[in-house]
Amino acid sequence: MAKAALIQRELKRDKLVAKYAKKYEELKSIAGDAKKSEEERAAARLALQKLPRNANPTRQRNRCEITGRPRGTFRQFGLGRSKIREMAFTGDIPGVIKASW
């Protein structure tokens, strides 16, 4: 089980990303648009730097929904590899079975 503080930090980042998502996308499109003047693009880059650091979507980390483990997380299930293994053996995940040949 991950520390509660780390899980709370991720939740805080999720909220910040959602809050600034629209503004972030607008500024990114302006900064990357070659048709805009260089002054407009520079102003957009400065505005991006002034946004909170945790508002950047790349700072988010995928974590297991049950344990909070940051590594070995499968996007399809949102679970860590160890929990997927446990749940597959008990038959809690439909369509997933233990391989045998």
Side-chain angles (χ1 to χ4, degrees), residues 31-70:
D33 190 2
K35 296 176 184 175
K36 300 278 184 184
S37 69
E38 195 59 40
E39 292 82 20
E40 287 177 318
R41 294 173 67 194
R45 286 193 295 270
L46 280 174
L48 271 172
Q49 289 177 358
K50 291 184 180 181
L51 290 178
R53 192 173 274 183
N54 284 332
N56 191 339
T58 58
R59 290 180 64 94
Q60 289 177 306
R61 184 84 163 132
N62 292 334
R63 288 186 174 270
C64 176
E65 292 291 326
I66 298 171
T67 62
R69 180 181 166 82

Side-chain angles (χ1 to χ4, degrees), residues 8-41:
Q8 291 303 316
R9 184 188 304 163
E10 283 300 320
L11 295 175
K12 187 177 176 182
R13 282 183 183 151
D14 292 341
K15 289 178 188 174
L16 266 176
V17 167
K19 180 179 178 182
Y20 288 100
K22 186 177 179 185
K23 188 171 188 176
Y24 187 83
E25 285 300 319
E26 290 171 1
L27 291 172
K28 283 291 278 186
S29 65
I30 292 171
D33 190 2
K35 296 176 184 175
K36 300 278 184 184
S37 69
E38 195 59 40
E39 292 82 20
E40 287 177 318
R41 294 173 67 194

